Amino acid sequence: MASARALGGAIPTSRTTYIGKGRGRGRGAAAGDGSPRQPGSQAGSAAGTDQRQLLGVAGILELLETAPPSTNAESLAEQVFKEAEASINTGDEVTKFAHSLYKWTLQAPDRAKNAAIACNAVGQLERDNIKFRSPFLQTLKKDYDSRNEWKDVEETRWVSLACLVCQFYKEFRVAGNYVGALESPALTCIEMLLSTSSIKCHVYGVEQLCDLGPILYPKNSEKIDEMMDDLRRRLLASDTLSSSRVLFLEALEFYAGGWEMDETAVDYYTNKKAGI
């Protein structure tokens, strides 16, 4: 196959790790009761338990919604943890928080990264013997297992779920390690996003592949090699849309470069994708 450099023009050789440049995080308004709160602030002591919980959840969602792409993940995680510790006081509130964060995340694919950072930060949060990660993962598993029943009629929700599974695998840790049970679902989600004819699925499938490729490839090289061979065939197919060709070319360039891409190439693809 002709290389990306041959098809897209000469690209300099100084290299940097791909950072998913060009897509924003968390679009749309955070759910809540109105006025925004500063991270870490607490509801007034006179407020009832339900109101205090609502304000706490709204504050966390606002924090995730408004965090710019350049926000340091550790700093964001620390802010989320402090807010959750201060405002969530019972097992019921832990469950409500998990369900609220999950519902918020599935409204837009760009929310997956910050949502996964938040989940890792509060995964061990426990009240009344209920840990945050239990209701969150139960809901995630239920939707993942039933995805084929609804993904074709709820594309945004499906793409959001796929991105969440990928980012959850990347960000969530147990005893400092990746959760092995999430590895296969993450790879499956990427494969499903790329195998459709939807431009939206291609955009986020390539984004997740470039982000998780270095992590997934060592243990899944054969499967990913096959996936890239398929992208190469589709890149050259006469019925492939030009927008998809740009995305497939980006993925192949990144893969061929050992999961790295120079800054000029990142800028090139960012500009090419601006109109997609």
Side-chain angles (χ1 to χ4, degrees):
M1 186 200 79
S3 70
R5 289 175 175 77
L7 293 171
I11 300 176
T13 57
S14 95
R15 308 195 70 78
T16 185
T17 301
Y18 179 87
I19 57 174
K21 186 175 179 181
R23 297 204 65 83
R25 290 182 182 168
R27 296 169 183 165
D33 67 336
S35 60
R37 297 169 59 235
Q38 294 300 317
S41 63
Q42 300 183 42
S45 59
T49 300
D50 288 343
Q51 184 181 7
R52 183 170 63 251
Q53 165 64 9
L54 176 62
L55 292 173
V57 169
I60 293 171
L61 297 185
E62 172 121 13
L63 174 63
L64 297 174
E65 186 75 45
T66 58
S70 59
T71 300
N72 178 272
E74 291 184 4
S75 174
L76 181 61
E78 182 179 358
Q79 289 178 294
V80 169
F81 179 77
K82 287 181 178 179
E83 178 73 15
E85 276 284 304
S87 59
I88 296 175
N89 303 292
T90 69
D92 285 343
E93 290 179 352
V94 170
T95 300
K96 290 177 182 177
F97 173 41
H99 290 163
S100 295
L101 178 57
Y102 183 82
K103 182 179 180 180
W104 173 84
T105 305
L106 262 59
Q107 292 173 2
D110 290 326
R111 293 175 172 177
K113 176 71 173 180
N114 283 354
I117 291 172
C119 289
N120 187 45
V122 299
Q124 297 296 324
L125 180 69
E126 182 176 352
R127 301 286 188 268
D128 301 331
N129 296 318
I130 296 177
K131 288 185 177 180
F132 169 89
R133 70 184 184 189
S134 296
F136 192 93
L137 284 174
Q138 287 169 4
T139 308
L140 177 64
K141 183 179 186 302
K142 180 180 178 181
D143 276 348
Y144 177 80
D145 288 345
S146 65
R147 64 194 183 280
N148 289 327
E149 300 173 10
W150 54 267
K151 66 180 180 64
D152 292 334
V153 294
E154 297 183 72
E155 184 181 54
T156 295
R157 190 168 185 269
W158 154 239
V159 177
S160 299
L161 174 68
C163 291
L164 176 60
V165 170
C166 292
Q167 290 301 311
F168 200 83
Y169 170 68
K170 180 185 176 185
E171 299 292 341
F172 197 71
R173 300 286 190 278
V174 174
N177 299 313
Y178 292 112
V179 180
L182 293 170
E183 183 175 294
S184 179
L187 189 57
T188 296
C189 284
I190 293 173
E191 188 172 25
M192 290 180 70
L193 288 173
L194 293 176
S195 65
T196 71
S197 59
S198 165
I199 295 296
K200 185 172 188 175
C201 288
H202 294 167
V203 167
Y204 288 99
V206 167
E207 183 178 89
Q208 297 306 317
L209 175 61
C210 290
D211 200 16
L212 271 67
I215 304 170
L216 292 170
Y217 191 76
K219 293 183 179 180
N220 302 276
S221 59
E222 184 175 350
K223 190 174 184 67
I224 293 178
D225 287 344
E226 292 175 357
M227 192 186 307
M228 303 313 288
D229 284 343
D230 182 61
L231 288 187
R232 191 175 292 109
R233 286 192 294 270
R234 292 167 65 192
L235 173 69
L236 301 176
S238 59
D239 59 347
T240 300
L241 296 175
S242 58
S243 296
S244 292
R245 281 200 175 94
V246 170
L247 296 165
F248 296 164
L249 190 61
E250 178 187 22
L252 289 164
E253 176 79 6
F254 192 54
Y255 163 75
W259 305 110
E260 291 184 336
M261 186 177 285
D262 60 73
E263 291 183 6
T264 300
V266 172
D267 289 339
Y268 169 79
Y269 287 113
T270 297
N271 292 332
K272 293 288 286 185
K273 293 186 296 182
I276 297 178

